[in-house]
Amino acid sequence: MSLIEVKDLKIGYEGHIVLDKVNFNIEDGEFAIVVGSNGAGKTTLIKALLGLVKPVSGSINFNGLKQEFIGYMPQETKVDSNFPASVFEIVLSGTLNKTLFYTKKEKKLALDNLKLLGISNLKDKSFQELSGGQRQKVLLARSLCSTEKLLILDEPSNNLDRESKKDLYEIIQELNKKHNITIIMITHDLDHGNLIGNKIISVTDGTVISESTDDFVRRVHHE
Ligand code: ADP
């Protein structure tokens, strides 16, 4: 059974349909890459998966996964980089606790995720003083605090230099392969040998084409 089944989905904003006749599945353990030009509707599609945009028609079925247990790393983070929070506080805020008092279990989860991403040493640093690559890892650790199953990443490597990008992609691949976390990632990085997913969801001409990475490469080469 697929982890996510999208059937005949139509989505958009008031008086403006962005995507129609959208059909695709996400299997447990997959690494799906979402591509498409600016304004094509990638973020709208992701927001629909997260329940932030309501479908006009059609359905999204999650099999055994609650929408609130999806880890989400937005493109432009709501964490203001001038906000004087420590790395630990930011990662902790990714837990589903909406009060100011965190339990021992939540604190452990935050520490475990810092460790998992190899950034325990940054724990007490202020977010402000981190490099771009370090910030992205912190935000990734934060989004991991709300899921053990599915991470949705919106252009996580934006504005990173080549080395930091490579480093971040390696970590995301490890989360997928070693920790069996299903990944859906929007990216523009298709031409740097970074075709790391097994499935490509192309958002184009008001709908999506979902195909294996190999089929995508063949199709794009023929166009
Ligand atoms: P992408 O992520 O591929 O760049 P978006 O999903 O952000 O594309 O945008 C798709 C279309 O939806 C664009 O035409 C954009 O202007 C429109 N759009 C995005 N967000 C909103 C919104 N909150 N209200 C109305 N229209 C929006």
Side-chain angles (χ1 to χ4, degrees):
M1 207 197 296
S2 302
L3 188 64
I4 304 175
E5 290 170 353
V6 178
K7 279 200 193 121
D8 293 326
L9 188 70
K10 187 189 275 197
I11 38 173
Y13 305 93
E14 207 161 314
H16 170 205
I17 299 301
V18 177
L19 297 173
D20 192 9
K21 301 188 174 73
V22 176
N23 287 285
F24 66 91
N25 289 349
I26 300 288
E27 310 303 327
D28 192 5
E30 261 192 327
F31 191 144
I33 305 279
V34 181
V35 298
S37 51
N38 270 340
K42 301 180 295 299
T43 303
T44 304
L45 178 63
I46 292 309
K47 284 189 176 162
L49 295 180
L50 291 163
L52 302 174
V53 166
K54 285 233 152 54
V56 175
S57 61
S59 63
I60 305 172
N61 290 317
F62 294 92
N63 295 312
L65 181 76
K66 285 198 178 137
Q67 243 168 354
E68 71 253 42
F69 294 130
I70 300 177
Y72 175 47
M73 182 167 155
Q75 188 179 9
E76 269 143 37
T77 170
K78 290 203 181 95
V79 180
D80 181 348
S81 49
N82 293 319
F83 184 67
S86 75
V87 164
F88 184 57
E89 285 167 327
I90 287 181
V91 174
L92 200 50
S93 72
T95 62
L96 295 166
N97 190 333
K98 297 296 166 233
T99 72
L100 280 175
F101 302 99
Y102 294 101
T103 62
K104 267 193 183 151
K105 203 172 148 202
E106 286 158 347
K107 288 180 185 166
K108 181 171 183 310
L109 181 64
L111 290 174
D112 286 349
N113 283 326
L114 283 167
K115 194 166 168 201
L116 187 66
L117 300 194
I119 51 170
S120 299
N121 58 324
L122 301 180
K123 175 178 162 279
D124 297 318
K125 289 217 186 284
S126 144
F127 191 71
Q128 285 165 282
E129 60 183 293
L130 304 183
S131 69
Q134 287 173 327
R135 282 184 185 187
Q136 292 305 82
K137 284 189 205 173
V138 170
L139 297 175
L140 190 57
R142 178 180 192 269
S143 60
L144 272 175
C145 284
S146 57
T147 194
E148 290 173 359
K149 199 80 206 135
L150 173 67
L151 266 185
I152 298 185
L153 312 169
D154 194 345
E155 303 209 30
S157 67
N158 242 7
N159 305 319
L160 295 186
D161 61 39
R162 220 184 162 74
E163 267 315 295
S164 310
K165 253 182 206 181
K166 197 167 155 268
D167 192 24
L168 189 71
Y169 283 141
E170 275 174 17
I171 288 177
I172 297 170
Q173 268 183 298
E174 198 174 300
L175 291 175
N176 176 244
K177 294 226 163 69
K178 262 202 192 158
H179 301 278
N180 197 35
I181 293 178
T182 304
I183 309 275
I184 301 176
M185 178 171 90
I186 298 181
T187 184
H188 279 125
D189 276 332
L190 285 182
D191 39 341
H192 296 288
N194 284 330
L195 221 44
I196 49 182
N198 66 298
K199 178 179 276 181
I200 309 278
I201 296 170
S202 310
V203 180
T204 176
D205 299 330
T207 191
V208 308
I209 302 168
S210 167
E211 61 205 329
S212 71
T213 306
D214 291 345
D215 286 346
F216 171 83
V217 171
R218 256 175 255 138
R219 182 168 63 82
V220 171
H221 276 292
H222 277 108
E223 272 173 4

